[in-house]
Amino acid sequence: MKRIVCLSLVFITGAVMACDGKKKSLAGPALMAMAMFRPVMVVTVAGTGAPGLVNGSSATAQFNSPDGVTIHPNGTIYIGDTGNNAIRMIDTAGTVSTMAGNVVPGFVDDQGSSARFNNPDGVAVDSAGNVYVADTGNNAIRKIDPAGNVTTVAGQGPGSPGSTDGALGAATFTNPTGITIDSTGTKLYVADEGSNKIREIDLVMSQVGTLAGSGAPGDTDGTGNGAVLDGPHAITFNASTGGLVFTDRNNDKVKTVTDTGAVDTLAGSGTSGFANGTGTVAEFDKPHGIGLDSAGNAYTGDELNNMVRFITPSGVVQTYAGNQTAGSSDGTASSATFNQPRGIALDTSGNIYVCDYANNKIRKIIVH
């Protein structure tokens, strides 16, 4: 019976109490048992490594600083190809194409390659295949329908930054970088990085509001404008709780926010670094993208540590793939290397897709 009690503490606390009563640190493989799936192999999905805008097969396609990624349940991958000012697609056969935009920056609503974006970052897709884009340099939220028609949902353009709430046509943003959609498809949530706020767009009521953040940079958990953030960058919806998980990038933390605007730190000490552990013991170095599995475990592109990190719902942090060395090698989770991993998305099988920003590639962590 004593041995069974000792084992149970591994899964509950992230530490193990040995039968001699001494506390020992949790080994990586034991913590990985807490994940839905274990990482098996890192492979390159698409991208030669050279910057460019080339469509075609996964082996010949090129990207330029891909930053945001999302996956439709049908398996189509959508990418905010920031350096190309374009939104790219990878179909289930591995063929890369451009959905909208075409290298030249601008702020133009139109169809396909005639539309213009300015450093687009985060992307989200609804069940109908409409793609929503955090168009960072244009201070706007854009929409691309399945036919490639681009319209502006909210935001006033590159010359009109701000954080004004109100009707879609009057609201303003400042360098929005992250975007997600709720399970009903009627609300968008935006990491408005330059405003230090989490914003909410009600597509039914055609209104923009602030869910959390005072606007001043800082690091204070709280509710609504009582919360203080610094550079919230990526955000994802948690269908199990109705809340959200986001990276508070300049604070080197991963945080949660409820649908009523209550912000809490999930993990991160607030100091740039690298440390696995629980809650504020853990350290990140500019956590970027964020994704969730069906059990509520979070995965973040820990950009300057060149790793993908894993965070349980109780805030236990472990390294999932990468080893702090900058590179582009495929291989096992521990031997593979990344170079500034950013955007993160999970498919329906739990595989993790990574925008490997400085490698100009889309990578995949195959799980089992």
Side-chain angles (χ1 to χ4, degrees), residues 2-203:
K2 194 172 186 180
R3 291 184 68 191
I4 294 173
V5 172
C6 291
L7 179 62
S8 68
L9 287 173
V10 172
F11 290 91
I12 295 171
T13 66
V16 57
M17 190 70 71
C19 293
D20 60 5
K22 296 180 180 180
K23 190 176 181 181
K24 298 181 179 180
S25 62
L26 179 66
L31 183 57
M32 283 300 101
M34 301 169 71
M36 284 288 291
F37 303 99
R38 294 174 182 242
V40 175
M41 188 70 64
V42 177
V43 298
T44 297
V45 175
T48 65
L53 197 161
V54 176
N55 293 319
S57 72
S58 59
T60 60
Q62 291 182 345
F63 301 88
N64 190 353
S65 305
D67 206 326
V69 60
T70 192
I71 305 174
H72 190 276
N74 68 12
T76 303
I77 303 166
Y78 299 92
I79 298 142
D81 194 5
T82 303
N84 279 324
N85 298 301
I87 306 304
R88 312 288 292 284
M89 298 169 54
I90 307 175
D91 67 19
T92 55
T95 301
V96 179
S97 59
T98 300
M99 189 178 191
N102 190 15
V103 181
V104 179
F107 186 41
V108 178
D109 287 343
D110 209 320
Q111 199 274 338
S113 61
S114 297
R116 293 289 180 266
F117 298 88
N118 190 351
N119 292 326
D121 193 333
V123 285
V125 62
D126 66 18
S127 59
N130 297 298
V131 177
Y132 295 89
V133 182
D135 194 2
T136 306
N138 281 325
N139 303 309
I141 305 303
R142 315 287 290 282
K143 176 185 176 181
I144 313 171
D145 72 15
N149 298 300
V150 178
T151 55
T152 298
V153 176
Q156 305 302 306
S160 301
S163 60
T164 302
D165 293 333
L168 294 182
T172 56
F173 298 84
T174 302
N175 301 134
T177 49
I179 191 165
T180 191
I181 191 165
D182 74 356
S183 55
T184 69
T186 62
K187 286 187 178 180
L188 301 173
Y189 296 93
V190 178
D192 196 5
E193 186 175 70
S195 292
N196 301 304
K197 293 182 177 183
I198 303 300
R199 312 287 293 282
E200 179 182 72
I201 302 175
D202 190 318
L203 298 173

